[in-house]
Amino acid sequence: MSGRPHSHNHTILALSPHSVLPHWRVMSVSWDALAPGESILQYAARRRHVHPLGGLGIPLFTRDGDGLHPRQLVELCGAEGSGKSEILLGAIAACVTPAAFGGAGAEAVILDADRKFSLLRLITLIEDRVKRASDPETVVRQCLSRVEVASIDSAFQLGATLLCLAETLTARPAVQLVVVDSIGAHHWVDRATSGTEHGQTSVQQQIVCRGMRELLARQPVTVLVAKPSLTGTTMSKRRGHDRNASPHDYTPQEWRGLVSRRYVLLTDEYAQSAHHHHGQDGISHKLFQRIHPPSLPAAWVPFSITNRGLC
C-alpha cells in the first residue's frame, strides 16, 4: 500500500451570518498528491510558488517596469471620482483572465467595505478582454468563478477577515490578488466609537494592521487598497503646487510602514487638455503620481478611463 496520499477535495463551509467574519460562498479546494520522494515542506513550497502579476496592463503599474509582486501592499489615494475603484476592477479583470487573453489566470478576493462593488462593470471589462474567444460567455463565467467577494461592515470585521485570509489562503494557492475598497470606509464611525483622539491608534486600526501584517508575511499575495481622501481637501496640479506632497494620511504609522507603493490620483484640467484629441464620449481623464517610495522620481502621468477600461 502506497504511503502517498490520494487526491481528494476539502470543502470550506460558509460562515454563519452572525459571525464576525463576512459570509463566504461554499467552495471546493482541490489537493493534488505528493510527488515521488517529495516531503511535506517541499510540497507546501511548490503549492505556494507564484509568479509576479506584472503590470496587468494598467498604466500605473506598467510604468514602473517590474509591475506588481507578491507580498506588496499598494495604496491608491485620491478623492471620489479619481479612478481608484476603476483601477481595482481593471486589476481584478486582468488577474482572473486566462493567460491566453493577456491575463494571469489567477484568483482574486475582494473585501468590499464601501459596498459599491460593481459586478456589471467587472463583467464588461472581462468581456472586452476575451471577446476573441470561440465561446466568450463560457470564458467569462470561468473568470467570474475565480472572483470571491466579501462584504465588510466594520473595521474590526476587516481586520478579522485579513487574519482569516492569512490562515486559509495556504490551501488556496491560486489566489494572487487581494483587493480592499476602501481602507477609509469606516474611519469616521471608528473615530466616534473608539474614544481615541486625533493621531491615536484605535483598537480597530490595530486589528486591521495586525491582519494586514500577518497576510503579507504568510501569503505571497499582492494587496491593492483604495484610500479615499477624507479631509475635504481638493488636490490640483496647478503651477507652483508641491507635487511631492502627500495628502493627509489618517492611517496609523504601523500601516504606513507596511505600504510598498503609494499612488496619488486626481482629475485634472491638464489631463483633459492633454488628451483633447481623443474626442470620444465617455472618456474620463485622470492623473497619477507615485509618491512612495520617495527614492524614486515622481511625476504626474495622465491616463484615461473609457468604457473598455484604462488606457
Side-chain angles (χ1 to χ4, degrees), residues 30-264:
S30 178
W31 294 73
D32 58 0
L34 290 171
E38 185 177 38
S39 69
I40 293 295
L41 291 178
Q42 291 171 332
Y43 171 84
R46 172 169 62 86
R47 292 285 293 181
R48 295 304 293 148
H49 175 71
V50 297
H51 297 286
L53 287 174
L56 296 178
I58 296 177
L60 279 76
F61 311 136
T62 56
R63 182 176 180 272
D64 285 333
D66 57 350
L68 301 174
H69 290 269
R71 306 186 196 280
Q72 280 189 337
L73 171 59
V74 180
E75 275 189 350
L76 306 177
C77 310
E80 183 177 357
S82 58
K84 301 184 299 299
S85 295
E86 183 71 19
I87 292 172
L88 296 181
L89 287 173
I92 296 165
C95 176
V96 301
T97 301
F101 302 99
E107 295 182 9
V109 174
I110 306 167
L111 306 184
D112 183 22
D114 279 340
R115 294 298 190 101
K116 63 179 183 181
F117 168 70
S118 176
L119 177 60
L120 181 60
R121 180 58 176 160
L122 179 61
I123 291 175
T124 300
L125 296 176
I126 295 175
E127 284 178 337
D128 184 70
R129 285 179 165 270
V130 303
K131 58 187 176 184
R132 291 184 175 83
S134 57
D135 186 359
E137 182 176 350
T138 298
V139 178
V140 170
R141 290 180 179 273
Q142 292 172 346
C143 292
L144 292 177
S145 70
R146 302 186 186 105
V147 179
E148 189 164 0
V149 181
S151 297
I152 304 297
D153 295 322
S154 67
F156 182 82
Q157 190 179 64
L158 174 60
T161 304
L162 291 170
L163 287 170
C164 179
L165 290 174
E167 291 281 349
T168 59
L169 290 189
T170 300
R172 300 172 57 190
V175 175
Q176 293 191 34
L177 181 65
V178 175
V179 169
V180 180
D181 193 7
S182 67
I183 191 62
H186 309 107
H187 173 75
W188 296 116
V189 174
D190 293 341
R191 283 281 302 275
T193 58
S194 64
T196 56
E197 298 181 359
H198 178 68
Q200 294 181 329
T201 303
S202 66
V203 173
Q204 294 93 325
Q205 288 177 322
Q206 292 175 13
I207 295 173
V208 171
C209 290
R210 178 190 170 194
M212 184 60 72
R213 184 175 64 252
E214 289 291 320
L215 177 61
L216 294 173
R218 302 178 64 175
Q219 304 297 340
V221 296
T222 302
V223 183
L224 299 181
V225 176
K227 184 164 70 175
S229 300
L230 302 179
T231 60
T233 302
T234 301
M235 294 183 295
S236 63
K237 181 184 171 294
R238 56 184 180 272
R239 294 186 184 277
H241 177 69
D242 182 4
R243 298 175 186 176
N244 292 318
S246 172
H248 173 70
D249 200 333
Y250 50 85
T251 52
Q253 182 62 43
E254 182 180 0
W255 173 273
R256 296 195 291 271
L258 297 172
V259 175
S260 301
R261 300 184 193 177
R262 180 178 296 113
Y263 296 90
V264 172

Side-chain angles (χ1 to χ4, degrees), residues 243-298:
R243 298 175 186 176
N244 292 318
S246 172
H248 173 70
D249 200 333
Y250 50 85
T251 52
Q253 182 62 43
E254 182 180 0
W255 173 273
R256 296 195 291 271
L258 297 172
V259 175
S260 301
R261 300 184 193 177
R262 180 178 296 113
Y263 296 90
V264 172
L265 294 87
L266 57 128
T267 301
D268 191 273
E269 296 83 3
Y270 173 81
Q272 295 175 0
S273 62
H275 290 73
H276 69 277
H277 58 277
H278 283 186
Q280 299 104 325
D281 294 332
I283 294 182
S284 177
H285 302 286
K286 316 289 181 184
L287 291 171
F288 77 85
Q289 178 191 51
R290 183 167 74 171
I291 62 174
H292 182 81
S295 58
L296 297 176

